């Protein structure tokens, strides 16, 4: 239900990352996270056991099960169309799309890079709700104007109604909901301050999240309504996501006009792609104990990035027979930055990756490795200085400026 304006190429691990792909629509990869199965099952069960027997009494159990299965599938189709609305307009605004993922709380369109402007964010944020308005209007008009069989009418009416409910909720002025992105875009446009706009929309997101958590527990403990637990869970997600967006915007502001080269490790320890994993552990990891190592072949060809968590997931008896290149994440699947990229934007991208590291390449050659630890350390230096010295000053950005 929300669009993520951050590049995240890695697969697996996170709750909003795809566990498997179900295909492509208009060239956009559609993925499903395992958590989607939970909500799909809950929706289908509640429809078959309670909702449809109440709204369409007198039908058989088999009819309710069939109605529930069809309604649950079409519900997620409507969420997918909502996210495709975001993705289509984002493409028109010049953004790249990293795919759409269906997960526990609905769907998320994942974009590469940051919103180019406040106007672009506003148009992208409104595109999804516009699709939902059309879906709800068509379905409710069909249910009202056309005499349909009872089972079909029940499905159509429920789908139209639930899309209205989702539309209202999604347009609350709270990040990371679409309404929060609309609010941020308006504030950003009027003040010219992206960070301040994010902090305001994020504060509202946290506020709505707290209210939902409190309301959910009141429903659960005072009224005995099991739905209160679900409301509290959604509120927790909203509060956590809003806090994350606000924190990232604050980090971006704290880094000022610094470049990636100001924070990266310029001479990272590299692994050769043809090394055995056992040699990698004995000769590199035990001596340096870093979380990730660039994999660079003869002639400086960058093959990918090897995280020690990937090594730890491999049974030790297989280390000897496995080469580093077989275990490393290829370049296409990790975050790649240029040394002159804006560090604040890079930090926002980096925070969304599973491995927490980015390769820094200059004309295809490895020049460094960036981690959130590097970024955090630089922020501390800028805030407090080192050994009483003045904080590091931000370098003025100039086109074509040479690296340090």
């Amino acid at each position: 239900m929300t669009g993520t304006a951050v590049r995240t190429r890695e697969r697996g691990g996170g709750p909003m990352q795809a566990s498997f792909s179900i295909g492509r629509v208009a060239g956009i990869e559609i993925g499903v996270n395992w958590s989607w199965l939970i909500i799909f099952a809950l929706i289908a069960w509640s429809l078959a056991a309670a909702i449809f027997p109440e709204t369409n009494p007198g039908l058989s159990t088999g009819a309710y099960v069939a109605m529930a299965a069809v309604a649950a599938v079409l519900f997620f189709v409507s969420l997918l169309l909502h996210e495709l609305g975001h993705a289509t307009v984002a493409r028109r605004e010049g953004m790249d799309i990293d795919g759409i993922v269906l997960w526990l709380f609905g769907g998320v369109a994942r974009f590469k890079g940051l919103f180019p402007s406040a106007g672009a964010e506003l148009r992208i944020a409104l595109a999804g709700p516009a699709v939902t308005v059309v879906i709800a209007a068509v379905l409710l008009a069909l249910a009202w104007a056309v005499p349909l069989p009872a089972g079909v009418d029940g499905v159509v009416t429920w789908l139209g109604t639930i899309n209205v409910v989702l539309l209202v909720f999604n347009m609350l002025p709270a990040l990371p909901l679409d309404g929060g992105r609309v609010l941020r875009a308006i504030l950003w446009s009027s003040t010219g301050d992206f960070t301040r706009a994010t902090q305001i929309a994020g504060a509202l997101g946290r506020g709505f999240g707290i209210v939902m958590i409190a309301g959910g527990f009141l429903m659960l403990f005072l009224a005995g309504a099991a739905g209160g637990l679900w409301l509290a869970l959604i509120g927790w997600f909203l509060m956590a996501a809003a806090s994350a967006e606000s924190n990232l915007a604050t980090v971006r502001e704290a880094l000022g006009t610094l470049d990636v080269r100001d924070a990266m490790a310029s001479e990272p320890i590299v692994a050769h792609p043809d090394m055995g994993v056992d040699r990698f552990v004995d000769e590199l990891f035990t001596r340096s104990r870093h979380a990730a190592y660039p994999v660079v072949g003869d002639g400086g060809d960058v093959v990918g990035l090897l995280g020690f968590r990937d090594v730890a997931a491999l049974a030790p008896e297989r280390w000897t027979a496995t080469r580093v290149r077989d275990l490393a994440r290829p370049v296409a699947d990790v975050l790649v930055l240029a040394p002159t990229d804006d560090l604040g934007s890079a930090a926002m991208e980096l925070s969304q990756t599973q491995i927490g590291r980015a390769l820094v390449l200059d004309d295809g050659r490895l020049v460094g490795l960036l981690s959130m630890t590097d970024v955090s350390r630089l922020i501390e230096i800028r805030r407090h200085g080192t050994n009483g010295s003045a904080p590091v000053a931000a370098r003025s950005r100039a086109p074509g400026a040479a690296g340090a």
Side-chain angles (χ1 to χ4, degrees):
M1 287 178 279
T2 60
T4 303
V6 182
R7 174 170 55 199
T8 52
R9 296 181 186 170
E10 297 176 73
R11 295 284 181 252
M16 287 189 290
Q17 293 174 322
S19 300
F20 58 90
S21 174
I22 59 175
R24 289 180 175 270
V25 176
I28 300 171
E29 183 180 0
I30 310 300
V32 174
N33 184 272
W34 67 267
S35 63
W36 172 81
L37 298 174
I38 298 174
I39 185 61
F40 182 87
L42 285 174
I43 289 175
W45 174 78
S46 63
L47 287 172
I51 295 176
F52 285 146
E54 180 179 343
T55 59
N56 298 84
L59 301 180
S60 67
T61 300
Y64 292 136
V65 171
M67 289 169 63
V70 171
V73 170
L74 292 179
F75 170 68
F76 281 97
V77 169
S78 68
L79 291 181
L80 178 58
L81 292 174
H82 175 106
E83 299 304 333
L84 283 171
H86 286 306
T88 300
V89 175
R91 273 185 169 176
R92 292 176 182 173
E93 297 292 340
M95 298 185 72
D96 293 327
I97 311 301
D98 199 41
I100 293 173
V101 178
L102 298 177
W103 71 302
L104 183 64
F105 292 112
V108 58
R110 306 181 71 85
F111 310 137
K112 297 178 182 179
L114 302 174
F115 293 115
S117 67
E121 179 172 25
L122 179 62
R123 290 184 289 272
I124 294 169
L126 288 174
V131 172
T132 300
V133 167
V134 173
I135 292 172
V138 169
L139 291 172
L140 292 177
L142 182 64
W144 176 76
V146 179
L148 299 170
V152 176
D153 179 75
V155 171
V156 171
T157 300
W158 180 82
L159 282 171
T161 303
I162 197 64
N163 271 280
V164 171
V165 172
L166 288 176
L167 177 67
V168 172
F169 173 73
N170 205 28
M171 289 308 294
L172 292 175
L175 278 177
L177 302 177
D178 288 336
R181 300 196 183 281
V182 169
L183 174 63
R184 179 171 68 180
I186 293 172
L187 294 172
W188 181 11
S189 178
S190 61
T191 65
D193 189 336
F194 174 83
T195 301
R196 181 59 179 159
T198 302
Q199 289 171 340
I200 293 173
L204 287 171
R206 291 192 297 274
F208 276 110
I210 292 171
V211 170
M212 291 174 67
I213 292 172
F217 280 117
L218 286 175
M219 289 173 57
L220 181 64
F221 293 114
L222 297 183
L229 185 60
W230 185 247
L231 182 65
L233 184 61
I234 295 175
W236 172 83
F237 162 74
L238 187 64
M239 184 176 66
S243 296
E245 293 228 21
S246 297
N247 292 339
L248 285 172
T250 301
V251 166
R252 189 181 181 207
E253 182 180 46
L255 293 171
T257 56
L258 293 178
D259 294 329
V260 166
R261 60 190 167 195
D262 293 308
M264 70 182 189
S266 58
E267 296 183 359
I269 298 173
V270 302
H272 193 280
D274 292 327
M275 290 181 72
V277 172
D278 56 337
R279 280 189 55 205
F280 163 80
V281 173
D282 291 340
E283 298 177 12
L284 295 183
F285 179 75
T286 55
R287 298 179 183 179
S288 55
R289 298 189 180 276
H290 295 315
Y293 297 79
V295 180
V296 181
D298 297 330
D301 295 331
V302 182
V303 175
L305 186 65
L306 178 63
F308 188 73
R309 284 189 297 178
D310 299 322
V311 175
L314 183 69
E317 57 267 22
R318 296 180 57 191
W319 286 0
T320 302
T322 305
R323 294 182 303 169
V324 163
R325 71 164 70 247
D326 299 326
L327 203 57
R329 302 163 190 241
V331 173
D333 291 342
V334 299
L335 179 62
V336 175
L337 302 168
T340 54
D341 282 348
D342 175 70
L343 183 57
S345 299
M348 295 181 71
E349 298 180 47
L350 189 61
S351 69
Q352 300 295 316
T353 64
Q354 180 190 5
I355 200 168
R357 302 293 187 277
L359 295 170
V360 185
L361 305 184
D362 187 7
D363 196 23
R365 309 284 292 186
L366 179 71
V367 295
L369 185 69
L370 183 69
S371 71
M372 282 304 296
T373 302
D374 299 325
V375 174
S376 300
R377 185 180 297 118
L378 184 57
I379 290 175
E380 285 301 308
I381 292 174
R382 283 174 57 80
R383 285 176 176 169
H384 306 298
T386 304
N387 297 326
S389 62
V392 176
R395 180 195 297 119
S396 297
R397 189 178 305 280

